[in-house]
Amino acid sequence: LDADILCLVELDCFEEFREALGEQGYDAVFKGRPGKQDGCGIFWRRERFLAAAAPSSLTYAEPANDRIALAQPLRHLATDRAVLVVSTHLHWDQEAGHQVAEARELLSFAGQCEAAAGEAFAGSTVVAGDLNTTPGSEAYALLRESLLDAAGPYPTGAFTSLKPDVYYYARPRPSSKPAVHGGQGQAAWEEWHWQAGRKEVIDYIMFDAAALDLEEAVKLSR
């Protein structure tokens, strides 16, 4: 483990991670999703960074009480430079359009956190997380208006998420459509389902170039 800062999402065993990574020299903060067991965590190597202020969190308005963002102001001990680290996980449904509204809220939230942390934090935001949106999407383009992508542009075949083909069992459920020939409904589920796998770029590290420079781009699997 070589990272100075780690951002984890869908983290449902924070105490175990905090204990294990604490033994390796990391401090951490965590925010759970409303009514869920998982959430977002930020870990930083205590010999390199110091928490400059208390963390802040955001619960996105769309969809209500579902996804969150967690922000932690940090100071680099060797240089005293400021960085605002944001860990977030946007809504899963790329067709519903929630990511666009969430992206707007995320940028506004980062700006508010920078202002609250002090002048040194202006333009110091780094966002890391599962944004559940692909390069070229409206949500991605909106974020790129303010932040640079540490891995883009993406070569053909690049991916951060790899899901294999899945053949799975699920109980039938009635349809809301009219019944056919006395059955449960026109589109009751079969018990076995097939879901085609996919690989795509949905996880990102983005940063504000106003105060931060990229020394080396992230290299993705292909």
Side-chain angles (χ1 to χ4, degrees), residues 90 103 106-107 131 138-147 206:
L90 302 190
L106 177 61
L107 292 173
L131 304 187
E138 186 178 353
Y140 177 85
L142 179 60
L143 291 170
R144 286 284 286 106
E145 290 178 4
S146 300
L147 304 172
M206 294 185 173

Side-chain angles (χ1 to χ4, degrees), residues 6 17 47 58 61-62 83 101 116 132 137-139 158 171 182 204 212:
L6 295 167
F17 269 79
E47 67 178 17
L58 164 73
E62 288 186 38
V83 60
N132 270 319
S137 69
E138 186 178 353
R171 294 182 181 275
Y204 302 90
L212 300 169

Side-chain angles (χ1 to χ4, degrees), residues 23-97:
E23 294 174 354
Q24 298 187 44
Y26 289 85
D27 287 332
V29 293
F30 173 79
K31 177 65 177 179
R33 292 170 59 199
K36 305 291 185 180
Q37 296 297 317
D38 69 296
C40 295
I42 301 173
F43 300 77
W44 61 93
R45 200 182 294 275
R46 66 177 68 98
E47 67 178 17
R48 301 284 179 83
F49 289 93
L50 174 71
S56 301
S57 63
L58 164 73
T59 300
Y60 293 109
E62 288 186 38
N65 297 318
D66 186 25
R67 303 297 168 128
I68 63 169
L70 173 66
Q72 175 63 59
L74 297 175
R75 281 197 178 275
H76 187 240
L77 292 174
T79 63
D80 200 39
R81 292 187 65 179
V83 60
L84 179 74
V85 180
V86 180
S87 175
T88 192
H89 187 194
L90 302 190
H91 193 260
W92 62 271
D93 191 346
Q94 297 178 1
E95 302 300 323

Side-chain angles (χ1 to χ4, degrees), residues 89-153:
H89 187 194
L90 302 190
H91 193 260
W92 62 271
D93 191 346
Q94 297 178 1
E95 302 300 323
H98 294 306
Q99 292 98 341
V100 176
E102 289 172 323
R104 291 194 184 96
E105 280 193 88
L106 177 61
L107 292 173
S108 176
F109 171 64
Q112 293 168 13
C113 291
E114 286 183 1
E119 185 177 351
F121 285 86
S124 69
T125 294
V126 175
V127 173
D130 179 355
L131 304 187
N132 270 319
T133 193
T134 56
S137 69
E138 186 178 353
Y140 177 85
L142 179 60
L143 291 170
R144 286 284 286 106
E145 290 178 4
S146 300
L147 304 172
L148 295 183
D149 187 340

